[in-house]
Amino acid sequence: MTVAAAGSLLPVPVALPLTGAVLAPLLARVFKRLALIVSAVALLGSLAVLALIAPKVYGDGGGVLAHYMGGWGPVHGAVLGIAFAADPFGMTFALACAGISTLLVVYALSELGGLGERELGAYACLFQLLVAALIGSALTADLFNLFVWFEVAALASYGLTGFFLERPIALEAAFKIAVLTTIAAFAVFVGAGLLYSGDGALNLAQLHDALAAHVGTADLVALGLLTAGFATKAGLTPFHGWLADAHTAAPGPVSALFSGLMVNLGVVAVGRLAFQVFPTSRVPILGVLMVIGIVSALTGATLALAQDELKRLLAYDTVSQTGVLAIGLATRSASGIAGSTYHLVNHALFKSLLFLCAGSIVHRTGITKLSELGGLLRRWPAVAAAFMVGAASIAGIPPLGGYVSLSLIHRGLTESHQYVPLALMLLAQLITIAALGRAAWLAFLREREEDYEREQPLQPGMLIGLSGLAVCCFAFGVLPGAVIDHVMAPAASGLLHARQYAHAVLAGSGRLPPVSVVFDYTDLTELTIVVVSLVLGALLAYGYLLRSKEPLPVRALRAVHTGSVNDYAAFVVAGVIAVIAALRWAG
């Protein structure tokens, strides 16, 4: 396949789920499960097309393919048309979206297959719209088009969050996510407008060339608005107020889609802005991103430790993990960025797995609180094993994928001599281990005398979803060398070599300079970190279980998180102002 032919296929992975979204409600009237079957086929087709294009993107150290809609290509460096561009960073996210969402649809065939034809048709439609938006955001090379996919994802997420509308928590959660993401969308829209007004461009490559010459005050304000808007989608602190309620209220596969994939849209967008659009040497965006990442990692981990509801615990851990992703990007080193991209995939896998475990527990018992669970290891060993795999991957235990990605981020922080952020990240990791260890003890390991009122069997689709994600968690940990050399190092090159990325987008294709990323599985420092973190995390979990009252940091964070949408909206607005002020002052 020629480069031009591969580039012309870029819209297809987005068009397939969009087509499936249109067909799903219609086919549900013929046979209700057809809605989910056509969804699985459409998403599998997207995965196949992306896999067909991938060798052109990852081969020879990495490259970029571009396709201009309607043939409206650049003229003397000026772009009028909308461009799709596949670089290794975006392609990695797109492949993760297509592959994992296919498993989530298979899982939904069992968990939600008993719904009526109207409900299943609507669910399949919204689900595919959201996945199409995520893949589109991964492949777009146009800032306004990125805003459009942001909005498509937002609209689909409102419906999926409030899917079980008869539950009061679902209605409240849908309202919160609507309010906060609308503020975020407005910030993104205004930021894009400011850049277009000042620089006359919306294409990411053309913006890079324009901003390389000069970055004015309006550009810094635009960057602050865009960063805050996409940080809201990512659930980074202080923009995370919507996340816990939305993840808790949604059905299990939707929570997995939100936490494993949707929040990564914000991380990918911020990464593109920080490296491929704005000159990091003259704009202090990475320092701002590092602070946001550290605060998110610590805040999310601490709140996760304090939760009694399993899905809410996992939701706050998502806040922590997106903070880790931000820290990796902010290192500005090849190891850290490769580790962040690796962790983006790992987070999509292990968090989707954990939310499916939580969904299966709720589906089979009707219980959401950890304090009311127990004995699940003996009753449902498959679910227990899947949960342990996901938790171990988050903890960074070899041979699971989390060990590799976290080690690379640690190396990135060490290479850039950022030892205080490294220490704070390790503290957040310790608290995360305690939170998940406490959850594993309460739900699976301790005994429960009485039987559950509802004990539904684990159905085939649920088993396929859980086992598929668990196997992937192992696969990304067992074969790190091939993954780093052929996927993650090229992804880091695409971000670090923004000039070559911009030239390739404007030229229609191009190669990226090779980047070397070294990983040592037997690094004694990393293995020591794992052992010490596990021991201290276990002690913290034990101490928290025996506590007489909540520690002061937990009480303070609980007091701030009132659940009021007004307060959370105020946090978002304050965050927008703080990011703009930091960029302007430091710049």
Side-chain angles (χ1 to χ4, degrees):
M1 181 187 297
T2 64
V3 171
S8 67
L9 291 176
L10 287 176
V12 178
V14 182
L16 285 174
L18 287 176
T19 304
V22 174
L23 293 177
L26 302 175
L27 293 175
R29 298 184 179 186
V30 179
F31 175 59
K32 64 179 184 179
R33 289 180 185 264
L34 272 179
L36 291 176
I37 293 172
V38 74
S39 302
V41 172
L43 294 171
L44 197 59
S46 292
L47 179 62
V49 174
L50 288 168
L52 188 65
I53 301 171
K56 299 292 184 182
V57 177
Y58 292 119
D60 299 326
V64 181
L65 299 178
H67 175 75
Y68 288 85
M69 304 299 178
W72 286 67
V75 178
H76 303 300
V79 181
L80 294 178
I82 295 174
F84 266 23
D87 67 329
F89 183 61
M91 177 61 77
T92 302
F93 180 46
L95 284 167
C97 289
I100 294 173
S101 60
T102 303
L103 287 174
L104 296 182
V105 169
V106 173
Y107 179 95
L109 272 167
S110 291
E111 183 177 297
L112 302 177
L115 296 175
E117 63 181 43
R118 182 178 178 183
E119 288 79 7
L120 270 184
Y123 173 86
C125 175
L126 292 170
F127 192 96
Q128 289 180 95
L129 281 177
L130 181 49
V131 176
L134 297 179
I135 297 175
S137 68
L139 299 179
T140 188
D142 182 273
L143 185 57
F144 189 79
N145 193 231
L146 184 59
F147 164 75
V148 170
W149 293 126
F150 181 103
E151 283 289 81
V152 173
L155 291 171
S157 67
Y158 304 156
L160 289 170
T161 301
F163 189 73
F164 293 125
L165 202 56
E166 67 276 6
R167 301 177 183 174
I169 186 178
L171 181 60
E172 180 183 353
F175 179 68
K176 286 179 182 177
I177 189 174
V179 170
L180 298 185
T181 55
T182 298
I183 297 173
F186 182 73
V188 171
F189 181 78
V190 174
L194 282 173
L195 288 179
Y196 184 69
S197 174
D199 301 291
L202 289 170
N203 182 274
L204 300 182
Q206 188 180 348
L207 277 171
H208 168 82
D209 289 346
L211 292 168
H214 174 71
V215 179
T217 300
D219 297 320
L220 290 176
V221 172
L223 177 58
L225 289 168
L226 291 164
T227 300
F230 288 117
T232 303
K233 180 64 75 177
L236 290 164
T237 304
F239 311 99
H240 65 286
W242 63 272
L243 194 144
D245 285 344
H247 287 55
T248 303
V254 175
S255 298
L257 179 64
F258 283 3
S259 190
L261 297 173
M262 187 177 75
V263 297
N264 290 339
L265 184 160
V267 175
V268 170
V270 170
R272 289 206 186 282
L273 290 169
F275 289 96
Q276 294 176 335
V277 176
F278 283 83
T280 56
S281 59
R282 291 191 287 118
V283 177
I285 180 60
L286 296 185
V288 172
L289 196 58
M290 179 65 77
V291 173
I292 293 175
I294 291 171
V295 173
S296 298
L298 289 170
T299 299
T302 304
L303 285 170
L305 182 62
Q307 301 307 308
D308 188 35
E309 287 195 19
L310 178 56
K311 290 181 73 174
R312 204 169 187 84
L313 182 155
L314 297 176
Y316 277 120
D317 181 67
T318 295
V319 176
S320 182
Q321 296 304 315
T322 54
V324 172
L325 293 173
I327 291 170
L329 290 174
T331 62
R332 201 186 174 185
S333 75
S335 296
I337 296 172
S340 183
T341 310
Y342 210 131
H343 203 65
L344 183 144
V345 176
N346 285 331
H347 175 253
L349 291 170
F350 60 59
K351 193 50 65 69
S352 296
L353 177 60
L354 290 174
F355 266 109
L356 289 191
C357 290
S360 66
I361 291 171
V362 174
H363 178 75
R364 300 171 76 188
T365 66
I367 297 175
T368 62
K369 292 185 177 181
L370 290 167
S371 57
E372 299 174 5
L373 292 169
L376 295 181
L377 174 61
R378 178 171 53 84
R379 288 177 172 86
W380 302 317
V383 176
F387 187 91
M388 298 303 176
V389 168
S393 188
I394 294 179
I397 299 175
L400 294 158
Y403 171 71
V404 182
S405 56
L406 289 173
S407 297
L408 289 173
I409 295 174
H410 296 163
R411 179 184 289 272
L413 288 167
T414 303
E415 290 174 350
S416 55
H417 308 291
Q418 300 185 71
Y419 299 109
V420 172
L422 175 60
L424 294 174
M425 178 180 163
L426 292 176
L427 175 60
Q429 185 69 11
L430 187 155
I431 300 172
T432 296
I433 292 171
L436 292 171
R438 171 177 165 269
W441 167 258
L442 292 175
F444 297 98
L445 301 178
R446 67 167 180 167
E447 286 301 320
R448 188 178 193 267
E449 298 298 331
E450 63 273 16
D451 292 330
Y452 292 99
E453 293 182 8
R454 292 166 48 187
E455 291 196 28
Q456 308 219 2
L458 193 66
Q459 299 175 44
M462 301 168 75
L463 187 59
I464 291 172
L466 292 173
S467 58
L469 291 169
V471 167
C472 288
C473 286
F474 274 106
F476 275 86
V478 171
L479 302 171
V483 175
I484 292 172
D485 292 341
H486 300 295
V487 178
M488 305 307 167
S493 178
L495 294 185
L496 288 172
H497 297 98
R499 181 181 300 176
Q500 287 84 347
Y501 167 82
H503 176 76
V505 171
L506 294 175
S509 65
R511 307 310 304 171
L512 296 169
V515 166
S516 176
V517 177
V518 179
F519 171 72
D520 181 7
Y521 223 117
T522 60
D523 188 317
L524 290 179
T525 301
E526 288 301 323
L527 293 174
T528 302
I529 287 174
V530 172
V531 174
V532 173
S533 297
L534 287 174
V535 172
L536 294 179
L539 292 174
L540 178 58
Y542 180 72
Y544 199 85
L545 286 168
L546 297 180
R547 75 191 188 284
S548 58
K549 62 179 181 179
E550 283 191 331
L552 181 60
V554 175
R555 292 204 306 274
L557 284 174
R558 279 190 181 275
V560 171
H561 290 77
T562 61
S564 168
V565 69
N566 295 329
D567 291 345
Y568 294 156
F571 294 163
V572 171
V573 173
V576 171
I577 296 171
V579 170
I580 293 173
L583 290 171
R584 182 68 185 90
W585 174 74

